[in-house]
Amino acid sequence: MKWMCIFSLIFLSTSGCVWIEPNDEIPDEDVFSQPLESLGEIEHEEFLRGRALFRRAFDPTTLGPIFNAASCSQCHARDGRAHPSTPGLLYKVDDAVYGAQFQTSAISGVKPEGEVRRSYDTALGDYRDGSTFSLRVPSYELANLNYGPIQNPSIGPRLAMQIAGLGLLEAIPEADILANEDSNDADGDGISGRAHWVIEEATSILRVGRFGWKAAHPTLEQQNAAALVNDMGLTNPVFAEGPCTSLQVECVAAQDAMLEVSQTELDLLTTYVAGLAPPVSKIGPEHRIGEQLFEQATCSACHVPELAPGVAAYTDLLLHDMGLGLADQIQEGDAKPTEWRTPPLWGIGALPAVNGHQMLLHDGRAQNVEEAILWHGGEAERSVEIFKSMSLEERTALIDFVNAI
């Protein structure tokens, strides 16, 4: 037997510990929050301390001065995916006044940058069997701007993703990622994934990006540090400058001159995120036909089942052109507006139990796996046409397989 400690979402302390049997079934809502079995005793202690930090709601006076969320778990509830109606839907911008991310909250005495208004239109389409489908088409508007007119109104919504299994993705050798590159489509299959080469802030070395919707960060430490400063306004050893731009005089005056997150705290957060185990696959014999259809539709060309031995994440961690339908006007590093990193699929079927929804794609526009498939374009357009030509029974089998990954 072992101890299971339940941590408060707000306070840096335990609210109770109980004995459990190692083989006790994990509640469906907690499948993203389990530690890797390989963690040693000291690593597990640091994992628990990091989890407390991850779930801690920071005092509003220590945030900001402008920010989006008060804790990591406010965006990643139960280590899962955000709903578009929460602060977990963030907005990239590229503006001299409003910086690289639009912050909708602020500490007392400082104005937030403004608010984002989101609305949806409906697009209709047909399957080859005569049945129809509808998709939500989002639009966004920046409103109540508190620091003057925005010079570049382009908006890039980014939904916070589930974080289980990221440590295993970080451990994949760069050579294994690069082995799947085909930037010029040399094999003529219409798919041309490429690595996103980015600067590692801690070393100034050019590395393969692998985290975030555009693979903008090469390490979990950098991904976490960027989230701390951009989402919560917490400066740290990797990103020592706060979110205020030089033109936001009121905001700059309220910034703390000292780092707000120490290297020790950043290390603990990174240990926690890296130590989260991916949910156990539920693929069984009943999913054999769906798996074959997944292959026939060439979904596995980008959603590579096993990028490294034992890492069945269904991703190649490469950038792919997904067409104008999913594009925004924000470029991140060398990633074009139409390019997106292939997101891992493991655990995607657990989202309804963990977070109460299955809002997918970079902005949550897709409400389930079916809609997410239909939104694919660009390099995946042929796969979508194959999916549309399937019978209802075949489409259902493919979707059930994806939900079992």
Side-chain angles (χ1 to χ4, degrees):
M1 293 189 296
K2 61 180 180 179
W3 281 106
M4 170 68 77
C5 298
I6 309 301
F7 279 78
S8 166
L9 295 181
I10 299 178
F11 301 106
L12 209 59
S13 62
T14 60
S15 57
C17 297
V18 296
W19 285 102
I20 64 168
E21 294 288 346
N23 294 324
D24 278 1
E25 186 174 344
I26 299 168
D28 289 344
E29 63 270 22
D30 293 330
V31 296
F32 291 152
S33 302
Q34 304 307 306
L36 290 166
E37 292 183 359
S38 59
L39 295 184
E41 184 176 349
I42 294 177
E43 290 175 310
H44 195 263
E45 277 185 25
E46 293 179 345
F47 174 88
L48 294 178
R49 291 170 63 197
R51 179 167 69 180
L53 280 169
F54 190 89
R55 297 180 177 182
R56 172 186 172 186
F58 285 81
D59 186 294
T61 60
T62 65
L63 294 165
I66 51 178
F67 60 94
N68 295 109
S71 70
C72 302
S73 62
Q74 191 173 1
C75 293
H76 303 279
R78 293 187 178 275
D79 304 304
R81 182 177 294 240
H83 190 281
S85 64
T86 71
L89 181 58
L90 308 165
Y91 300 93
K92 297 288 185 183
V93 292
D94 183 14
D95 188 74
V97 177
Y98 291 92
Q101 184 165 308
F102 196 75
Q103 278 87 14
T104 54
S105 297
I107 63 173
S108 178
V110 176
K111 296 176 182 177
E113 292 184 318
E115 62 182 80
V116 182
R117 295 172 181 167
R118 185 182 77 256
S119 59
Y120 295 99
D121 291 323
T122 301
L124 303 176
D126 300 291
Y127 287 113
R128 300 297 175 264
D129 62 8
S131 58
T132 61
F133 61 82
S134 63
L135 299 174
R136 300 190 309 167
V137 183
S139 59
Y140 305 90
E141 178 189 3
L142 300 179
N144 297 325
L145 299 174
N146 286 318
Y147 294 90
I150 191 166
Q151 299 175 23
N152 178 10
S154 300
I155 307 172
R158 301 287 185 270
L159 192 69
M161 294 176 276
Q162 61 270 33
I163 58 175
L166 297 188
L168 299 183
L169 297 184
E170 183 172 44
I172 295 174
E174 286 190 350
D176 289 355
I177 300 173
L178 297 175
N180 287 285
E181 268 197 307
D182 186 16
S183 56
N184 296 315
D185 191 19
D187 59 8
D189 65 354
I191 297 171
S192 52
R194 68 183 184 91
H196 189 189
W197 289 93
V198 296
I199 295 292
E200 182 180 9
E201 296 291 334
T203 63
S204 298
I205 294 175
L206 197 63
R207 302 216 17 217
V208 173
R210 58 184 81 194
F211 299 113
W213 285 105
K214 299 279 191 178
H217 298 291
T219 66
L220 278 178
E221 179 187 67
Q222 186 167 313
Q223 172 74 19
N224 291 340
L228 285 170
V229 72
N230 292 324
D231 304 349
M232 294 186 283
L234 295 171
T235 55
N236 56 76
V238 179
F239 295 103
E241 294 186 11
C244 310
T245 69
S246 60
L247 297 176
Q248 296 172 334
V249 179
E250 169 190 301
C251 185
V252 171
Q255 285 186 149
D256 195 326
M258 304 292 290
L259 291 184
E260 293 158 311
V261 173
S262 69
Q263 185 65 55
T264 297
E265 291 171 318
L266 180 57
D267 289 344
L268 288 172
L269 284 172
T270 302
T271 296
Y272 174 64
V273 176
L276 287 168
V280 177
S281 170
K282 295 186 177 181
I283 297 174
E286 70 273 21
H287 298 109
R288 181 179 58 83
I289 293 176
E291 185 174 16
Q292 292 174 349
L293 291 168
F294 187 84
E295 290 280 345
Q296 290 173 18
T298 68
C299 303
S300 59
C302 300
H303 291 284
V304 177
E306 194 172 84
L307 189 55
V311 186
Y314 285 79
T315 178
D316 59 8
L317 297 178
L318 298 175
L319 294 176
H320 292 274
D321 189 324
M322 298 303 293
L324 294 175
L326 289 178
D328 54 39
Q329 296 176 311
I330 298 295
Q331 178 155 330
E332 292 184 50
D334 190 38
K336 300 180 180 68
T338 58
E339 290 183 309
W340 302 93
R341 182 207 65 163
T342 306
L345 295 181
W346 53 12
I348 198 170
L351 288 170
V354 175
N355 298 120
H357 67 84
Q358 199 180 36
M359 303 299 189
L360 303 175
L361 301 179
H362 65 282
D363 54 5
R365 69 177 67 187
Q367 300 172 98
N368 48 53
V369 172
E370 179 183 14
E371 291 184 17
I373 293 172
L374 292 168
W375 265 112
H376 283 51
E379 296 175 32
E381 190 169 346
R382 178 173 173 270
S383 296
V384 174
E385 291 306 313
I386 294 173
F387 180 73
K388 287 181 179 178
S389 70
M390 294 178 184
S391 66
L392 173 60
E393 183 180 18
E394 291 172 325
R395 296 195 303 268
T396 300
L398 191 155
I399 291 168
D400 287 346
F401 167 70
V402 172
N403 278 321
I405 291 173

